[in-house]
Amino acid sequence: MTAPTSTTGAEGEPAPVRSSWHVGVHVGSDWSARCYTYPDTRPILALDTGRVHLDISAAGGAVTTDHIEFAHALVQAANDYLIDCERILLDGTTDTAQDGSAIAA
């Protein structure tokens, strides 16, 4: 069996169609996030949302500068996510407070 091909290849040859995937995780109240560290091997970042479990670790078992750059980007993206979630929550509590109702913290 061969992979499907596109009709727009170079010199009339069919070009291969690249595989892709997308994973979406909707986080409820049944989540956990942990970092497991070990004295002699790479750390593992574990995210669990009850039905989905995701582990992140360095490929090949060795931490490289590429993995350090990825970890920094992951921290920045998580911080951006946090800031926007807080903005949405605070905007929602401000709107209800202006209506005369309040949300207990």
Side-chain angles (χ1 to χ4, degrees):
M1 180 174 202
T2 60
T5 58
S6 169
T7 58
T8 59
E11 299 178 23
E13 294 292 318
V17 177
R18 295 183 57 147
S19 300
S20 64
W21 60 283
H22 172 84
V23 175
V25 178
H26 298 270
V27 180
S29 60
D30 57 345
W31 61 270
S32 68
R34 293 183 177 93
C35 182
Y36 296 98
T37 59
Y38 308 95
D40 299 325
T41 190
R42 68 196 182 275
I44 299 172
L45 177 61
L47 309 174
D48 191 347
T49 62
R51 295 182 182 170
V52 175
H53 187 85
L54 172 68
D55 290 334
I56 299 174
S57 65
V63 175
T64 65
T65 57
D66 288 336
H67 195 74
I68 297 298
E69 289 173 14
F70 167 77
H72 280 285
L74 183 62
V75 167
Q76 184 60 51
N79 190 55
D80 293 345
Y81 179 82
L82 169 64
I83 289 169
D84 208 46
C85 286
E86 289 176 334
R87 176 193 61 80
I88 291 168
L89 181 64
L90 291 174
D91 285 352
T93 57
T94 301
D95 291 342
T96 56
Q98 292 173 353
D99 294 339
S101 60
I103 297 176

